[in-house]
Amino acid sequence: MRPWHFAVLWVGLFATAVASGIDLLYYLSYLVLFVGTATWIVSRQTLDGLSVKRQVGQAYAHLGDTLELRYDLENAHRFGKLWLEVYEESNWPEPLPGRVLSIAGGRSRKWKVLVRALRRGRFHLGPIILRSGDPFGFFSTELHVDAPALVLVYPKVVPLPYWQLPGSMLEGSVLTGRRSLQATSMVMGIREYLPGDAYNRIHWRSSARHRRLQVKEFELDKTADLWIYLDLERHWHRGEGETSTVERAVTVAASVVAKALGEHRSVGLVTSGIRADVLQPDRGTKQLGKLMQYLAEVDVQGSLSIAEALVETFPRLRRGSSCLILTPSLDRGWVRPASTLREAAISTQAVVIGSPVETDERDRARRHALLGEVAVAGIPSAYLSHDARVEDLFHDLAELVHLDG
């Protein structure tokens, strides 16, 4: 009940008593006034001395993981709280579980909440809301506790035992002319030591000659570049949730990223949709975090096709690099740009993501024609049907994993 509700009730009761002159109504109006005022004062004090903290078990999780939230409620007041509701606002895919409890004076209560990551994305937790009131439940009061927290839900990552990193179509190692933050087998030159440089990169002979510390700079091997093309054009994507084409395509992309970077390859990413977004290739854990954060928030949008993205970004790909195309598109228009990559000595693979929505004979015919044209172009490919496991990707083509090998 809100205070103005009570005020309206009392005014009506008192006006009735004045109009009728009945003593009982006068006594009843005085009683309502006393009880209402007392319970309202009590409700104002029910949250005095309370504080709550929340700790998130981890700053990020992968789709399907369980996240642990730890709450710590303290009552610094000498009087206990008969009833108290604690819950949290957020943009989490489902409401976070709350709790109704009582707490004695000068005591604390702790509990854990386990929530499952049901959707990729960036989620903000907080504020935490404490709600209580008088023992009769006439009036309630709330306290909003600012406790901001950010949780990133990355795509699901699965092992890909049958998919192997494409090799270079060029003989020997080819240099890019670009400096690499990671150590490679090619030394590009030396420069003066800077704070933060690893000691194992110091070139002692040059340091002795220059009488100051010199470190080696490494050049990136072009054969290590793996480009992942992720098709986000709205037209071809179907379904919702974990079985949707976009979710399965993102799962494949994240799994390839994790495996390739785990094997010290340089990985870049191109997405179609509104425009061709490009994340330059690099190695290491920093690149892993960068790509996972990007994949956590991507969604289908726009009308830029994967064929247009291939044509637009083709000049960025160097001879000797590798390319993996992930698309649900049954339009054979992207096959020609993909075959152009092979002609430019860029190893190319393709994964066609199957729709979870039942298809008709026309779509099945288009799919067979597309896969046939891809095979004629000499591009190793795999079809990921809606009921197939991502882990089995390229199982039927395991003997062709090392392209042109």
Side-chain angles (χ1 to χ4, degrees), residues 1-3 37-49 81 132-134 138-142:
M1 178 183 293
R2 296 183 181 274
T37 303
T39 54
W40 182 82
I41 294 174
V42 170
S43 70
R44 296 298 95 186
Q45 298 176 343
T46 52
L47 297 180
D48 290 350
K81 312 299 179 182
S132 187
D134 65 274
F138 292 151
F139 301 103
S140 64
T141 183
E142 290 185 353

Side-chain angles (χ1 to χ4, degrees), residues 225 227 229 270 278 280 312-318 321:
D225 286 0
W227 287 89
Y229 278 79
V270 177
V278 179
Q280 292 295 336
E312 182 178 337
T313 59
F314 174 74
R316 295 176 178 267
L317 277 64
R318 301 174 182 270
S321 57

Side-chain angles (χ1 to χ4, degrees), residues 114-391:
L114 299 179
V115 293
R116 188 168 178 265
L118 300 175
R119 193 174 71 226
R120 292 179 292 109
R122 183 185 299 262
F123 300 99
H124 298 272
L125 308 184
I128 302 174
I129 299 176
L130 306 179
R131 192 175 75 88
S132 187
D134 65 274
F136 302 103
F138 292 151
F139 301 103
S140 64
T141 183
E142 290 185 353
L143 174 64
H144 290 238
V145 180
D146 287 331
L150 175 65
V151 177
L152 283 171
V153 178
Y154 293 159
K156 182 184 296 185
V157 173
V158 300
L160 299 174
Y162 302 107
W163 180 81
Q164 298 297 328
L165 295 171
S168 171
M169 297 181 68
L170 299 179
E171 296 182 358
S173 295
V174 183
L175 303 183
T176 66
R178 290 183 288 150
R179 289 179 173 83
S180 171
L181 298 178
Q182 307 295 326
T184 68
S185 59
M186 284 70 68
V187 178
M188 187 175 190
I190 60 171
R191 61 168 171 81
E192 190 170 340
Y193 174 84
L194 295 174
D197 287 334
Y199 292 119
N200 61 357
R201 298 190 182 182
I202 296 177
H203 193 267
W204 296 107
R205 291 186 179 179
S206 298
S207 299
R209 186 166 59 252
H210 291 86
R211 297 188 177 181
R212 58 179 63 181
L213 290 178
Q214 304 289 318
V215 295
K216 294 175 284 187
E217 283 192 312
F218 298 93
E219 188 170 2
L220 190 62
D221 181 1
K222 281 198 304 194
T223 62
D225 286 0
L226 171 65
W227 287 89
I228 300 173
Y229 278 79
L230 178 60
D231 185 0
L232 297 178
E233 182 191 5
R234 185 183 302 275
H235 177 73
W236 290 102
H237 282 282
R238 302 287 187 273
E240 297 180 355
E242 293 189 35
T243 60
S244 65
T245 52
V246 64
E247 199 59 53
R248 287 170 68 79
V250 170
T251 298
V252 174
S255 303
V256 169
V257 165
K259 180 171 183 177
L261 290 175
E263 298 188 12
H264 310 292
R265 290 290 294 269
S266 181
V267 181
L269 178 67
V270 177
T271 59
S272 64
I274 294 180
R275 59 183 179 274
D277 285 338
V278 179
L279 279 73
Q280 292 295 336
D282 204 350
R283 293 184 175 94
T285 55
K286 184 177 180 180
Q287 180 74 348
L288 176 63
K290 181 179 179 180
L291 294 178
M292 286 297 178
Q293 288 184 31
Y294 183 84
L295 291 173
E297 300 184 75
V298 297
D299 201 0
V300 294
Q301 53 186 344
S303 57
L304 182 73
S305 68
I306 190 66
E308 293 171 310
L310 285 166
V311 172
E312 182 178 337
T313 59
F314 174 74
R316 295 176 178 267
L317 277 64
R318 301 174 182 270
R319 288 172 56 84
S321 57
S322 304
C323 172
L324 174 65
I325 301 171
L326 306 174
T327 178
S329 174
L330 299 181
D331 182 4
R332 290 182 289 174
W334 62 264
V335 179
R336 179 54 188 164
S339 62
T340 303
L341 297 180
R342 283 186 52 82
E343 295 169 4
I346 298 173
S347 299
T348 306
Q349 293 175 322
V351 176
V352 179
I353 310 297
S355 171
V357 181
E358 186 175 354
T359 57
D360 54 20
E361 289 295 335
R362 180 182 177 184
D363 284 339
R364 284 192 286 270
R366 294 179 70 178
R367 185 185 73 212
H368 292 314
L370 171 68
L371 294 176
E373 190 165 334
V374 170
V376 170
I379 301 173
S381 64
Y383 175 70
L384 183 64
S385 63
H386 71 278
D387 56 350
R389 299 194 324 147
V390 176
E391 294 90 330

